[in-house]
């Protein structure tokens, strides 16, 4: 149990206690009851302030609510414990006692102390023994698969990749008291089957690491700075996006060598600073494909490298625009016969749902001129092969047909949906020169999943953004 779970417990308990004491003060208006009610309200406010200090630059109340709604076991347990002790205490002080008001007040005070003491002891027991480790909202749905939590990171996770030895790598960025940096954590499987987490790279040079790929023992990070110049009342943005290659030259397990192999990408810029260069994928020849978002919700790109899929040659000497007309392409996967698929996140207006696109050289996918599923009268754009739900958020994806999964899933993609807390299995079939989705099934339920990757051996790894957890999804064809 972590500090955020303790906050959930305290907020739940203090909210119920404050309501109880104000109700008691309304029933019997005296100095003692009013003082206890004000004290409880002060403690509730202090806990909220404490949380804001502990989680700077985050809407931590929203994060806590998300954890509870995602049915994270420890969060659910924390809110249950807080509610239980709060309600029991409310009942205890509400029972009529045929005794003097002085003795009744002593009993009430004792109930407050006993309730707080009992709740605190319970929390520390859970912290000490870490009893509940499973996530209630996590389960494998597709027959033959199992899912397990294999690790955690200390900040909001962004992407996951995997090396040739089936070791996953998770990237996240941190804003901490003025410090800004990106971090890569490697999870190595040990002889006992557990995974050992080790930070293998950490630097401001890989801040905002919105994409990661691993090839030939090198790590590639799609990252961005944010450099703004104010000039004559206007704002000018410097292209601060790049793909950085990381190497471990002395083979000590830490990647100390950094080199930008792709530069001058638009990167993060206003007004929509959340968008930048995102996912990375290598094809079989070693060419690198980069997704790049636009800097607005629905306006024409200001830079030629916005809203496009870029292709860098294997030696990174040339960079060309491979496809255009995209808003914020996030995930990218190269599937059977080197076919490229991406997720593209929808516009805010009308919210038609995120897109799954089959990317073909020279094609334009309509943004900002065409809205999927809405006839604007314009022609010549390539439509998506699948639309997500309006309340969904399609994020990372990967090709399923690798290793032991090839025969059964060679025509399938695994696509994460962050808002709907699941990984979907999309089975494709040819439709002329492109594809169409023949069937959609749920592969697994993963709270706030932000990325998914399939190793060459057929192991699936998924990462939860807000729960900051890494999951391993394994396949056994003999398992029902």
């Amino acid at each position: 149990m972590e500090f955020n779970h303790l906050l959930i417990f305290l907020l739940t308990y203090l909210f119920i206690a404050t309501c109880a004491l104000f109700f008691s003060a309304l029933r019997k208006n005296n100095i003692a009851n009013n003082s206890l009610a004000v004290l409880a309200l002060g403690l509730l406010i202090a806990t909220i302030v404490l949380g804001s200090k502990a989680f700077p630059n985050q809407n931590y109340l929203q994060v806590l609510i998300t954890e509870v709604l995602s049915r994270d076991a420890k969060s659910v347990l924390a809110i249950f414990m807080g509610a239980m002790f709060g309600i029991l205490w409310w009942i205890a002080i509400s029972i009529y006692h045929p005794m003097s008001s002085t003795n009744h007040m002593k009993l009430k005070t004792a109930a407050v102390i006993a309730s707080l003491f009992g709740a605190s002891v319970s929390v520390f027991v859970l912290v000490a023994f870490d009893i509940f480790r499973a996530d209630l909202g996590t389960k494998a749905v597709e027959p033959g698969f199992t899912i397990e939590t294999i690790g955690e990171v200390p900040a909001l996770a962004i992407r996951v990749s995997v090396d040739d030895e089936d070791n996953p790598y998770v990237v996240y960025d941190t804003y901490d008291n003025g410090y800004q940096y990106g971090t890569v954590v490697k999870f190595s499987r040990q002889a006992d089957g557990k995974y050992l987490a080790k930070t293998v790279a950490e630097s401001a040079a890989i801040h905002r690491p919105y994409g990661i790929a691993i090839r030939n023992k090198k790590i590639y990070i799609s990252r961005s700075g944010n450099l703004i110049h104010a000039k004559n009342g206007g704002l000018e943005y410097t292209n601060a996006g790049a793909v950085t290659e990381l190497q471990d030259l002395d083979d000590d397990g830490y990647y100390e060598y950094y080199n930008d192999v792709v530069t001058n990408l638009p990167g993060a810029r206003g007004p929509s600073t959340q968008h930048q260069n995102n996912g990375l994928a290598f094809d079989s020849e070693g060419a690198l494909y980069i997704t790049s978002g636009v800097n607005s919700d629905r306006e024409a790109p200001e830079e030629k490298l916005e809203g496009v899929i870029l292709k860098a040659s294997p030696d990174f000497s040339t960079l060309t625009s491979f496809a255009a007309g995209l808003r914020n392409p996030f995930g990218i996967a190269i599937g059977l016969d080197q076919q490229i698929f991406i997720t593209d996140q929808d516009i805010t207006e009308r919210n038609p749902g995120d897109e799954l696109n089959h990317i073909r050289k020279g094609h334009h996918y309509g943004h900002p001129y065409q809205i999927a599923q809405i006839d604007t009268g314009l022609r010549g754009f390539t439509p998506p092969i699948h639309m997500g739900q309006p309340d969904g958020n399609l994020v990372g994806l990967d090709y399923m047909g690798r290793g032991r999964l090839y025969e059964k899933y060679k025509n399938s993609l695994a696509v994460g949906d962050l808002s709907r807390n699941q990984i979907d299995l999309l089975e494709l079939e040819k439709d002329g020169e492109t594809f169409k989705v023949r069937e959609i099934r749920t592969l697994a339920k993963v709270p706030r999943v932000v990325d998914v990757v399939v190793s060459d051996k057929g192991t699936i790894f998924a990462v939860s953004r807000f729960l900051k957890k890494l999951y391993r999804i394994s396949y056994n064809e003999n398992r029902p």
Side-chain angles (χ1 to χ4, degrees):
M1 181 167 285
E2 301 171 358
F3 185 64
N4 53 330
H5 302 118
L6 180 60
L7 274 176
I8 291 173
F9 165 80
L10 287 174
L11 287 170
T12 304
Y13 172 79
L14 287 171
F15 176 76
I16 294 175
T18 301
C19 291
L21 286 169
F22 269 93
F23 180 75
S24 178
L26 288 173
R27 288 180 59 192
K28 190 172 183 180
N29 187 6
N30 58 44
I31 295 177
N33 283 341
N34 293 340
S35 298
L36 284 175
V38 171
L39 174 62
L41 180 61
L43 289 173
L44 178 61
I45 294 173
T47 303
I48 294 173
V49 173
L50 174 66
S52 66
K53 297 296 184 183
F55 296 93
N57 303 314
Q58 296 184 45
N59 185 343
Y60 85 97
L61 289 177
Q62 181 181 351
V63 172
L64 299 184
I65 292 170
T66 299
E67 289 191 10
V68 174
L69 294 179
S70 299
R71 294 184 292 170
D72 171 58
K74 294 178 184 179
S75 300
V76 173
L77 177 66
I79 199 170
F80 173 78
M81 287 173 51
M84 180 185 68
F85 281 101
I87 292 172
L88 287 176
W89 177 76
W90 192 336
I91 293 173
I93 67 169
S94 298
I95 296 176
Y96 172 73
H97 298 277
M99 60 182 68
S100 67
S101 59
T102 301
N103 290 333
H104 190 188
M105 184 53 62
K106 289 180 179 178
L107 177 64
K108 184 183 292 188
T109 303
V112 173
I113 295 173
S115 178
L116 280 172
F117 178 77
S120 300
V121 169
S122 299
V123 169
F124 283 112
V125 167
L126 290 169
V127 171
F129 293 99
D130 203 19
I131 296 173
F132 293 89
R133 298 194 60 82
D135 296 317
L136 297 180
T138 305
K139 66 176 181 178
V141 178
E142 177 76 0
F145 287 88
T146 59
I147 185 169
E148 59 181 325
T149 304
I150 62 172
E152 299 183 31
V153 292
L156 301 181
I158 303 176
R159 305 306 292 255
V160 60
S161 188
V162 63
D163 64 19
D164 294 336
E165 298 176 352
D166 243 24
N167 298 312
Y169 295 67
V170 175
V171 293
Y172 62 89
D173 58 2
T174 303
Y175 299 82
D176 183 12
N177 196 29
Y179 293 96
Q180 300 180 9
Y181 51 91
T183 303
V184 183
V185 179
K186 176 182 179 180
F187 291 83
S188 304
R189 193 172 190 183
Q190 307 300 296
D192 59 2
K194 296 181 179 180
Y195 284 79
L196 177 66
K198 178 183 177 180
T199 296
V200 297
E202 187 168 79
S203 172
I206 52 172
H207 188 237
R208 296 177 63 104
Y210 283 17
I212 179 174
I214 300 173
R215 181 178 175 84
N216 297 332
K217 297 185 177 181
K218 300 175 184 177
I219 300 175
Y220 295 86
I221 301 294
S222 177
R223 53 91 174 181
S224 177
N226 192 316
L227 182 58
I228 310 170
H229 298 285
K231 185 177 180 180
N232 297 326
L235 299 179
E236 297 180 355
Y237 290 85
T238 299
N239 288 355
V243 176
T244 303
E245 178 187 270
L246 281 61
Q247 294 187 49
D248 176 14
L249 297 181
D250 55 8
D251 202 28
D252 66 348
Y254 192 82
Y255 289 72
E256 71 283 346
Y257 178 83
Y258 292 61
N259 180 50
D260 288 339
V261 294
V262 177
T263 59
N264 204 36
L265 301 179
R269 53 175 62 205
S272 186
T273 55
Q274 189 178 34
H275 298 177
Q276 62 169 70
N277 42 293
N278 298 309
L280 302 175
F282 284 96
D283 67 14
S284 59
E285 301 298 322
L288 176 64
Y289 293 83
I290 309 161
T291 67
S292 178
V294 298
N295 66 2
S296 61
D297 183 42
R298 195 187 173 193
E299 296 178 6
E302 296 180 358
E303 299 283 336
K304 64 179 181 179
L305 300 185
E306 287 185 330
V308 298
I309 305 299
L310 301 169
K311 181 180 179 180
S313 60
D315 63 357
F316 307 110
S317 61
T318 62
L319 182 69
T320 58
S321 177
F322 189 80
L326 300 162
R327 179 179 177 271
N328 188 39
F330 187 77
I332 182 170
I334 298 180
L336 189 65
D337 299 326
Q338 299 297 292
Q339 300 298 312
I340 303 170
F341 301 90
I342 63 102
T343 56
D344 190 19
Q345 294 164 353
D346 63 351
I347 61 173
T348 301
E349 178 188 5
R350 305 191 196 184
N351 190 25
D354 291 350
E355 299 179 2
L356 174 67
N357 288 289
H358 173 217
I359 298 299
R360 289 178 282 171
K361 184 177 181 179
H363 282 233
H364 193 290
Y365 291 82
H367 183 81
Y369 315 107
Q370 177 70 44
I371 302 176
Q373 297 182 329
I374 298 176
D375 188 359
T376 60
L378 300 175
R379 300 292 181 264
F381 301 122
T382 303
I385 63 172
H386 170 70
M387 293 292 298
Q389 297 296 322
D391 63 343
N393 183 194
L394 301 185
V395 281
L397 80 162
D398 206 357
Y399 172 55
M400 281 284 289
R402 294 195 175 99
R404 71 193 75 179
L405 303 177
Y406 177 78
E407 286 301 325
K408 189 172 182 179
Y409 297 101
K410 62 182 178 181
N411 295 314
S412 299
L413 296 171
V415 183
D417 191 324
L418 184 144
S419 297
R420 301 176 70 223
N421 302 306
Q422 64 189 43
I423 302 172
D424 289 323
L425 191 62
L426 276 61
E427 186 174 336
L428 308 178
E429 65 179 13
K430 286 289 292 184
D431 183 19
E433 296 183 354
T434 185
F435 294 84
K436 63 181 179 181
V437 177
R438 190 179 74 85
E439 183 181 4
I440 302 175
R441 304 190 300 275
T442 301
L443 173 64
K445 290 288 188 178
V446 178
R448 313 306 284 176
V449 59
V450 70
D451 202 12
V452 56
V453 65
V454 183
S455 76
D456 288 337
K457 297 180 181 179
T459 306
I460 304 169
F461 297 97
V463 66
S464 168
R465 177 150 175 79
F466 292 115
L467 299 190
K468 301 171 285 187
K469 294 183 179 181
L470 175 65
Y471 303 92
R472 184 176 188 262
I473 304 173
S474 306
Y475 179 64
N476 181 350
E477 59 185 356
N478 297 319
R479 184 181 178 89

